[in-house]
C-alpha cells in the first residue's frame, strides 16, 4: 500500500512539474490553486497531493508560505541532466557515486550557510530538522522531509549555482532512497547526523558544520557499500 501511494505521489509530482515547467500553466511566483481544487484537477487524494508538493518543495520548484499558500518559486531550477536516467542508476555503484558527489559540495555549502544564513533561515532549518524527526517517528516518508532539510541549508548558502545543482541531484537521491534495502539504516543515520549538523550550524561553526556534513555523507556511502 505504501509503495503504491509513493509511486502515485511521484507520478503526481511529475504531472505538476510538467504543468509548471513545460506547459507554463503556473509561471514563476504564481500561487497554486487551493488543495481541494488542485487535488480534484490532478485526480488524486489530498494526502497524495501533499506528498507530491513536498517532493517539489524539496526540488526547489514550489515554496510553501505559511498562511498564504503554495507558490511556484521565482527562480525555477533550470532543466538539466536527469541523473536517474543514467544507465545502472539503481545499482549500488551508481548510488555510491551520487553520494560521493554530494560529499564534494555539501560540506562547502553548509559552511557557506554558517556565514550567510539569516536568523530566520536558521529557524526554518530547525523546523525542517524537527519535521524529519516527527515524520520518521510516525513511519512516514522521511526521505522527502530530509531532502527539504538539506534544501533549506542549500538556500541559506545564498549560492545560485548550488541552488540550481541541488534539485538535479535530489531527484536521483529520491529514486535511490525509495528502493534502497538500507532505508531503515539510512533513517537512523540521518536522524543522528542531522542533529550534529544542526548543532554546528546554529553555532555558525564553519569547520564543525563542514566536518559534520562530511561525516554524514561518508556514513551513507559506507551503508551503500555494506
Amino acid at each position: 500500500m505504501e509503495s503504491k501511494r509513493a509511486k502515485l505521489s511521484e507520478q503526481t509530482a511529475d504531472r505538476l512539474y510538467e504543468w509548471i515547467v513545460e506547459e507554463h500553466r503556473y509561471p514563476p511566483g504564481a500561487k497554486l490553486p487551493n488543495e481541494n481544487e488542485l487535488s480534484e484537477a490532478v485526480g488524486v487524494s489530498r494526502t497524495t497531493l501533499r506528498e507530491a508538493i513536498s517532493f517539489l518543495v524539496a526540488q526547489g520548484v514550489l515554496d510553501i508560505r505559511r498562511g498564504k499558500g503554495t507558490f511556484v518559486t521565482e527562480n525555477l531550477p533550470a532543466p538539466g541532466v536527469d541523473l536517474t536516467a543514467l544507465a545502472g542508476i539503481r545499482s549500488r555503484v551508481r548510488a555510491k557515486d551520487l553520494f560521493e558527489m554530494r560529499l564534494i559540495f555539501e560540506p562547502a555549502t553548509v559552511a557557506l550557510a554558517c556565514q550567510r544564513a539569516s536568523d530566520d533561515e536558521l529557524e526554518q532549518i530547525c523546523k525542517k530538522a524537527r519535521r524529519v524527526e516527527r515524520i520518521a517517528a510516525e513511519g512516514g516518508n522521511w526521505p522527502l522531509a530530509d531532502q527539504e532539510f538539506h534544501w533549506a541549508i542549500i538556500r541559506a548558502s545564498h549560492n545560485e549555482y548550488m541552488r540550481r545543482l541541488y534539485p538535479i541531484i535530489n531527484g536521483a537521491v529520491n529514486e535511490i532512497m525509495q528502493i534502497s534495502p538500507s532505508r531503515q539504516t539510512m533513517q537512523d543515520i540521518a536522524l543522528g547526523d542531522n542533529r550534529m549538523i544542526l548543532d554546528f550550524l546554529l553555532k555558525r561553526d564553519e569547520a564543525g558544520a563542514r566536518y559534520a556534513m562530511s561525516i554524514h555523507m561518508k556514513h551513507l556511502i559506507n551503508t551503500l557499500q555494506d
Side-chain angles (χ1 to χ4, degrees), residues 148-162:
E148 289 188 34
F149 168 70
H150 284 271
W151 175 239
I153 294 173
I154 299 290
R155 292 176 66 180
S157 75
H158 295 277
N159 182 291
E160 186 60 29
Y161 281 94
M162 289 179 178

Side-chain angles (χ1 to χ4, degrees), residues 50-71:
R50 287 188 202 112
E51 290 178 355
I53 287 174
S54 290
F55 179 71
L56 292 176
V57 168
Q59 295 294 300
V61 175
L62 295 177
D63 183 30
I64 297 174
R65 301 175 194 170
R66 189 176 296 277
K68 294 183 179 179
T70 302
F71 294 78

Side-chain angles (χ1 to χ4, degrees), residues 190-209:
L191 294 179
D193 289 354
N194 284 359
R195 295 183 198 111
M196 178 173 59
I197 293 165
L198 187 61
D199 185 49
F200 285 114
L201 187 55
L202 292 177
K203 294 175 183 173
R204 296 188 183 270
D205 182 338
E206 293 177 42

Side-chain angles (χ1 to χ4, degrees), residues 81-89 172 175:
V81 177
D82 181 3
L83 297 182
T84 63
L86 293 175
I89 189 63
E175 173 130 346

Side-chain angles (χ1 to χ4, degrees), residues 72-213:
V72 179
T73 55
E74 293 287 353
N75 297 310
L76 281 173
V81 177
D82 181 3
L83 297 182
T84 63
L86 293 175
I89 189 63
R90 292 177 181 271
S91 74
R92 289 192 175 201
V93 173
R94 290 295 181 185
K96 185 170 84 64
D97 287 350
L98 183 63
F99 281 93
E100 282 179 351
M101 186 175 181
R102 293 182 69 188
L103 175 60
I104 291 169
F105 87 95
E106 286 201 52
T109 304
V110 76
L112 287 176
C114 286
Q115 296 175 24
R116 300 173 178 175
S118 68
D119 290 342
D120 285 344
E121 285 172 328
L122 289 180
E123 178 58 30
Q124 285 302 311
I125 293 169
C126 284
K127 288 180 180 178
K128 299 296 184 186
R130 289 195 293 268
R131 187 166 180 267
V132 179
E133 302 248 2
R134 186 177 69 254
I135 290 177
E138 294 169 353
N141 193 348
W142 67 268
L144 277 181
D146 188 60
Q147 287 171 31
E148 289 188 34
F149 168 70
H150 284 271
W151 175 239
I153 294 173
I154 299 290
R155 292 176 66 180
S157 75
H158 295 277
N159 182 291
E160 186 60 29
Y161 281 94
M162 289 179 178
R163 282 171 57 97
R164 289 176 181 270
L165 176 62
Y166 189 65
I168 299 170
I169 293 173
N170 224 5
V173 170
N174 182 67
E175 173 130 346
I176 288 168
M177 294 301 287
Q178 294 297 341
I179 59 147
S180 174
S182 307
R183 187 177 164 115
Q184 182 60 49
T185 303
M186 286 186 163
Q187 174 182 306
D188 297 339
I189 288 171
L191 294 179
D193 289 354
N194 284 359
R195 295 183 198 111
M196 178 173 59
I197 293 165
L198 187 61
D199 185 49
F200 285 114
L201 187 55
L202 292 177
K203 294 175 183 173
R204 296 188 183 270
D205 182 338
E206 293 177 42
R210 184 189 293 267
Y211 174 77
M213 187 66 79

